[in-house]
Amino acid sequence: MTAAFTLAHLSDPHLPPLPAARLRDLAGKRALGYLNWTRNRHKYHRREVLDALVADMKAQQPDHIAVTGDLVNLALEAEFAPARTWLESVGTPQNVTVIPGNHDAYVRGTRHRFAGTFEKYLRGDAGADGATFPFVRRRGPLALVGVSSAVPTAPLMATGRLGRAQLDALDGHLAQLSTDEAFRVLLVHHPLHSDSRIKRLTDAKALRAVLKARGVDLILHGHDHIHSTMWFEGADRRIPAIGVPSASALAHRHYPAAAYNLFSIARDGNQWRCVQTVRGIDADFRVQQIKQVALT
Ligand SMILES: [Fe+2]
Ligand SMILES: [Fe+2]
C-alpha cells in the first residue's frame, strides 16, 4: 500500500461575528437574513468554536484541506475581507481549496464577490485567469474537482443549481480523469439528495447522471449542517458522499456541534483505500475523535 494522503474537510463556518450592516444593504432577502442572524444564528455560530476546531485540524497535519462553502452569512461587502483573513489563517492556496455556498452568493449584487475574493483558493491547475467552475486541482494522488451550486435565490429559499454549462464541463473533466489513476474528489456545497424542497440542489438528478456515467471516488458537501453519509451510483462502484456539521456551531435543536472529517487515502494494489475519521467539539470546546469508518 502507498503512503496515505490525508484530506481534511470542513464546511459552513458562517464566520461570526456579522459586521454591522448599513440600512441600505438590508433590502429584500438580506432583511430577513439579518433578523434571523441577530435573533438566532449568532447564538449558535461561535468564533471560539471555529478556532478550536481549526487548531485541532491543523495539529493533525493534513496534506490538504477542503472547505465547502457558506464562509459568510449575508454576502455583505464587509464580510469578505474578514473571511479572507480567516481562510489565510487556515492555510495557503496551495494547501486549501474552497468552493462557494448559497450564503456566499446570497444576493445578486455580490454573487461574484466570493470567486473574486478567493480566486487563488479555487483556481484550477489549467491556470485560466479568474475563477471558473468546475475547476480541477491535482494535489498528491488527488484530483479535486470543485463546482459551484451557489446562486442567489428568493427570500426563505436556500436551493442550489449547477446549470447545464457546468454539468457539461464537469462531464468533460471527469471523462479526461477516467484514464488517470487519480483519486477523484467532487466538492459541491449542496448535498446530492435532499427531502427539503427549499434547500435542495434543483438539478441534482442531472449531476447524479453525470456521476453514474463517469464516476468519482468521493463526494464532499456541506449545507445541511449535519453528519451525513449517502451512497450514489458511480461508473463501476458506489460513491460515498459525506456531509459535515457547520464548523462554528454549538449543538442546538436537531443540529450537532461543530465537527470536521479527515480522509486517509492510499492506493492498495489496483484500488483505493479511504478511511474517514470524524472529529468534533464537546461541551468544553475540546475536540475529540467521534468515530472512524473504512469507506472503501
Ligand atoms: Fe450553511
Ligand atoms: Fe448552505
Side-chain angles (χ1 to χ4, degrees):
M1 195 142 73
T2 59
F5 184 96
T6 305
L7 173 65
H9 173 220
L10 60 87
S11 198
D12 297 73
H14 288 276
L15 265 175
L18 190 65
R22 296 170 304 185
L23 210 54
R24 68 183 149 103
D25 287 330
L26 293 178
K29 178 169 175 163
R30 276 197 187 126
L32 281 173
Y34 193 74
L35 270 181
N36 188 21
W37 178 271
T38 47
R39 284 188 183 162
N40 294 306
R41 293 182 84 122
H42 78 102
K43 286 185 260 177
Y44 309 118
H45 291 289
R46 300 275 288 268
R47 182 62 193 236
E48 60 268 43
V49 170
L50 178 63
D51 289 347
L53 201 75
V54 169
D56 183 81
M57 183 189 66
K58 284 180 160 181
Q60 310 296 317
Q61 299 189 302
D63 296 297
H64 197 79
I65 299 164
V67 184
T68 48
D70 282 358
L71 273 67
V72 300
N73 297 290
L74 305 180
L76 293 164
E77 283 291 340
E79 285 184 278
F80 286 97
R84 183 160 62 192
T85 302
W86 172 75
L87 195 66
E88 285 166 356
S89 78
V90 174
T92 65
Q94 177 61 26
N95 299 325
V96 179
T97 298
V98 289
I99 55 163
N102 51 304
H103 280 264
D104 304 313
Y106 204 66
V107 292
R108 225 171 278 274
T110 49
R111 71 173 295 192
H112 298 299
R113 240 358 215 104
F114 185 93
T117 303
F118 298 108
E119 196 213 318
K120 288 186 178 144
Y121 288 87
L122 44 72
R123 190 192 295 154
D125 295 331
D129 280 343
T132 52
F133 299 101
F135 60 77
V136 180
R137 307 181 103 196
R138 302 297 297 259
R139 297 291 187 272
L142 307 192
L144 294 148
V145 183
V147 295
S148 172
S149 58
V151 287
T153 57
L156 303 177
M157 298 295 278
T159 50
R161 181 175 160 76
L162 297 175
R164 196 68 252 174
Q166 213 181 157
L167 286 163
D168 288 346
L170 176 66
D171 186 74
H173 283 305
L174 294 181
Q176 269 182 356
L177 285 171
S178 64
T179 56
D180 230 310
E181 209 178 74
F183 184 89
R184 299 154 298 173
V185 184
L186 177 70
L187 306 176
V188 54
H189 179 69
H190 289 75
L192 274 64
H193 171 80
S194 175
D195 293 324
S196 166
R197 199 184 65 81
I198 62 167
K199 291 184 70 181
R200 72 200 171 99
L201 180 67
T202 55
D203 48 6
K205 196 173 165 192
L207 174 58
R208 293 196 301 264
V210 170
L211 297 178
K212 187 178 174 188
R214 302 295 186 190
V216 292
D217 300 286
L218 178 65
I219 300 163
L220 300 181
H221 68 83
H223 191 56
D224 283 346
H225 297 196
I226 57 170
H227 294 282
S228 169
T229 301
M230 293 187 269
W231 292 83
F232 295 97
E233 274 188 82
D236 47 16
R237 69 187 78 88
R238 294 188 313 152
I239 308 163
I242 310 292
V244 279
S246 158
S248 63
L250 294 173
H252 60 289
R253 298 199 305 271
H254 51 284
Y255 295 104
Y260 71 96
N261 286 319
L262 292 166
F263 298 92
S264 173
I265 296 152
R267 191 79 179 168
D268 182 7
N270 61 356
Q271 56 184 327
W272 291 107
R273 299 277 174 223
C274 180
V275 177
Q276 175 195 9
T277 302
V278 185
R279 293 182 67 82
I281 204 141
D282 67 15
D284 300 318
F285 291 8
R286 279 191 308 254
V287 184
Q288 317 248 15
Q289 180 171 321
I290 295 172
K291 65 171 182 173
Q292 193 165 65
V293 190
L295 294 173
T296 56

